[in-house]
Amino acid sequence: AYFDHAAVSPLPARTAQRIADFLDQATHQGDVRWPEWSAQSERTRDSAARLLGCDRSEIALVQNTTHGIGLIAEGLPWQSGDNVVVPNNEFPSNLVPWRSLARLGVELRMVPVNPGGVVTARDLEPFIDRRTRLVSISWVGFSSGYRCCLSEILDLVHSHHSLLFLDAIQGLGAFPLDVKKFPVDFAAADGHKWMLSPEGAGLLYIRKQHLDLLQPLNVGWNSLASAGFDPKSVELKSTAARYEGGSINMMGTLGLGCSIDLLLELGCNQENNLVTESILENVGELDRQLTSEGFIVERPESVPRRSGIIGIRMETAKGQDEPFYQRARKHLLKQNVVVSVRGGRLRVSTHAYNNREDCQRLLDALLSFHESSRSQL
């Protein structure tokens, strides 16, 4: 019973088969199949564009979320005195690149966030002024599971003529994100969580109007507009692909495209879809089962703010007892139930394919650990 999609997901069978096929081709034929692989990687770009409702020219295939954030952080034309606004509960990938801009005289403004992880436009507003160049937030909190209200935050940020960067890794694949309806300026996500893909392959979205705003970084042969390897070529691609630089993680990119296509077949990019409905149904089922047995379930009160992530606490733990929950995680692993520990609690992250049997296995494993813990008191 796998409940750790907010960390690393298992691969769908078709994705595993595509990777196996690639390995076989690469082992026995070398680069003879490279043109085919390259064409398939471009289809991954098409699939990523469908996922976000954008043009393929706005998608760069990147190594991971951190890579995407770094390209924006280092590529914007900063001026001394500019500031960046970031909630203080962000995953380090969405803090470190902005903090490093201090060398350019850019101020990092950290917004205090309550223990529930709630981040609203009202929380952000006091920290935004005329020198705020960019606000960077996670769509879904990696620990809290809080899914922010994008429409309100976008209205606030754009009313100050600032840019919005969205770390989308904990939501993309589980919830629809249409960048025409929610016009974020930049977004990045690795595929290895909710997009059910291999690690080391992700996407970066750059709104078309900002492509020429950024200083080209990570440029190389694959950034050039002309095909081939002419050392005299100087003109860069006019699309986000100019930031890909050199050879991509071909195996991971092919796997990413395969998994995205599966999710698209299930309608994950549509406003009302079975992927999102199933995830939220699982969250509701876990909430009911666990609460009825006396466990403390932490998730956003408002359903539109929920994600596939919930937290579980036990009365037998004292405070932020990380070792206690690590012992609980090890106990669950022995029962073949997979969760993580984040923020001094068990973090359970459910995808659409989890079912009531999985939920029951999680509950049974927690009850057996709870009973053993009580007996030791």
Side-chain angles (χ1 to χ4, degrees), residues 59-105:
I59 295 292
L61 301 174
V62 294
Q63 299 169 24
N64 45 53
T65 312
T66 304
H67 182 199
I69 295 173
L71 287 171
I72 305 305
E74 297 296 331
L76 282 172
W78 302 99
Q79 296 181 6
S80 181
D82 287 346
N83 66 73
V84 179
V85 175
V86 183
N88 70 355
N89 68 337
E90 289 290 327
F91 193 76
S93 293
N94 199 25
L95 284 174
V96 175
W98 311 115
R99 186 180 290 127
S100 71
L101 298 174
R103 72 186 192 282
L104 302 178

Side-chain angles (χ1 to χ4, degrees), residues 147-177:
R147 180 161 48 115
C148 69
C149 182
L150 275 181
S151 58
E152 293 180 1
I153 291 175
L154 276 164
D155 287 346
L156 169 68
V157 172
H158 287 164
S159 71
H160 285 81
H161 306 289
S162 302
L163 301 168
L164 183 72
F165 185 99
L166 188 69
D167 180 343
I169 194 170
Q170 293 292 4
L172 201 56
F175 299 93
L177 176 62

Side-chain angles (χ1 to χ4, degrees), residues 112-124:
V113 178
N114 66 36
V118 175
V119 181
T120 68
R122 182 177 297 180
D123 299 321
L124 298 170

